[in-house]
Amino acid sequence: MELALNLAKREIDTSKTYDVLILGGGTAALGAALYAARYELSTIMIAQSIGGAIIDAPLVENYLGLDKTPGVELVNKFRAHVENYGAIIAEGRTVLSIERKQDLFRVKTDTGEEFRGRAVIIATGTRRRKLGLPKEEELTGRGISYCTTCDAPFFKDKVVGVVGGGDSAITGAVQLADVAKKVYVFVRSKIRAEPINMDALKPYIENGRVEIIMPVTVQELLGNEKLEGVRLSNGQELRLDGLFIEIGGVPNTDFLKCLGVELDNVGHIIVDKEMRSSMPGIFAAGDVIDHPLKQCITAAAEGAVAAYSAYQYIRGMK
Amino acid sequence: MELALNLAKREIDTSKTYDVLILGGGTAALGAALYAARYELSTIMIAQSIGGAIIDAPLVENYLGLDKTPGVELVNKFRAHVENYGAIIAEGRTVLSIERKQDLFRVKTDTGEEFRGRAVIIATGTRRRKLGLPKEEELTGRGISYCTTCDAPFFKDKVVGVVGGGDSAITGAVQLADVAKKVYVFVRSKIRAEPINMDALKPYIENGRVEIIMPVTVQELLGNEKLEGVRLSNGQELRLDGLFIEIGGVPNTDFLKCLGVELDNVGHIIVDKEMRSSMPGIFAAGDVIDHPLKQCITAAAEGAVAAYSAYQYIRGMK
């Protein structure tokens, strides 16, 4: 009986009105889902996939209490935790649009479904920023990659480049230096990585396997069938087998543009301390907002706060 | 050699100037220490003890990724994680005062020591709020308790009261109902506990073991050698063997008063989104600030943000 009830509770049901629709599948969305479910709000997460930015991390060392955990394992722990409390996860769906009709929000997905909710928590994160150079798209998967963790192993004994100066670029360079013959790091202005990550790179800089070139930008991608090299802003041309682009993300808020939620000039949702957007009933958390620190622990906390605010909002509404 | 270095690194050294002094030993302080250490700032935590508010929780269910973990175990995980990255923990010390001299802060403790730091993260949390009634102090430990988790087992088959309407009061009432004969809950205005916690209480309300009296306040504590009962604002007098006061906390910021850091009218440190107080070099996180949601996950995240801001501050200073 209990089991039957639980199963019934967890079915995806587009005919019902949920208390909270959570858009996204990363840490902020999972943090929100845990809290929303614990507030006993009927809650559904709508996401292409579960995991978000953290799933690509080989080893997460700074989520307090879970030292040295592979990103995938961390996501699995998060997901299991959330599912224990009854939030429904609707995977394999991309959100196309969101509309407000009276006090209800309607979210349409690429599966042709429509979900209705009293409140919406947007935790759609960011997509990887591109260089914006000719041939970038054609050469993606043919030497160009946006995910060091995914693709580094393919470049054993090869010559590769990394674009970027943040933590993902520097830790990516460390990973690549473990397999590649030579790694160039192209930094536009300055290195913004954590010192502890730079320290991991230092031995490779000292033994010449890694070379940092800065300040420099990539001006041209060379090669047609596959990437063969780059031309840099300092005039230098380098032969490369691979190029890893690790220059951060762009907020996934395109689907929001007609709703009238206030965004900043980069596209982040503007929220207050309680994760409330400019529109009542719309909350946001994680990399889709402009927060001072983009970390797993901050995303989880923001999700919790967004759920709390949604709970307050719904309680006031009912 | 490595071991010797590590040991040397971890010695408490009052002759040196630390990058960051972290005041407090709870989740926010531990979150800050982890990040500060990873930023390679020389970091020392100064605390009476390690654990903070969470250590009294019998079972923490809402720290994403670590479901159903006893508070003590969670604290041990946090501590081990922090110590892995080299933050020094100076326990058994209460902070008495903090002064600023030029760009350095000096923190004096009840051990007669003085610690110097370039930046300070205040995560001293709250102390339990008292009713403020005559005889409250004398009867503490003689029937009056501020910690259900600690003292519930002493009240097997007894008649007890709980004061409060938040999560700690309601979960406390559940714990007490498991052992006591009768539990009265005195709620001043309304119940603010999570519905999931109220649900756990419901069976006990239905079987009459728990009785909620609201809206009501405790007007008088009866008994001299030990607590014998209470008189309520509705005129009712009840015989009680124990009274658990679970009405939240008061920020521990008395030691700050001469420094000139801006506090709100309750004594919380006022911070911006980046956990910066009104005074450059002073940051704060956790229950000592006025945040929308007082949770383990939010405290950990605020600690991380405070450490990041301290790191930025010190980097700018050097």
Side-chain angles (χ1 to χ4, degrees), chain B residues 71-81:
Chain B
V72 172
E73 198 183 305
L74 204 56
V75 167
N76 289 340
K77 279 181 200 288
F78 292 170
R79 182 182 187 141
H81 194 167

Side-chain angles (χ1 to χ4, degrees), chain A residues 38 81 85, chain B residues 53-63 66-74 149 167 171 175 194 196-197 295-296:
Chain A
R38 286 183 58 82
H81 194 168
Y85 293 89
Chain B
I54 207 70
I55 207 159
D56 291 333
L59 211 56
V60 179
E61 297 186 327
N62 54 13
Y63 189 83
L66 284 165
D67 195 9
K68 294 192 176 46
T69 309
V72 172
E73 198 183 305
L74 204 56
T149 308
D167 282 310
T171 56
Q175 260 189 291
E194 283 187 28
I196 204 167
N197 290 329
Q295 296 284 293
C296 197

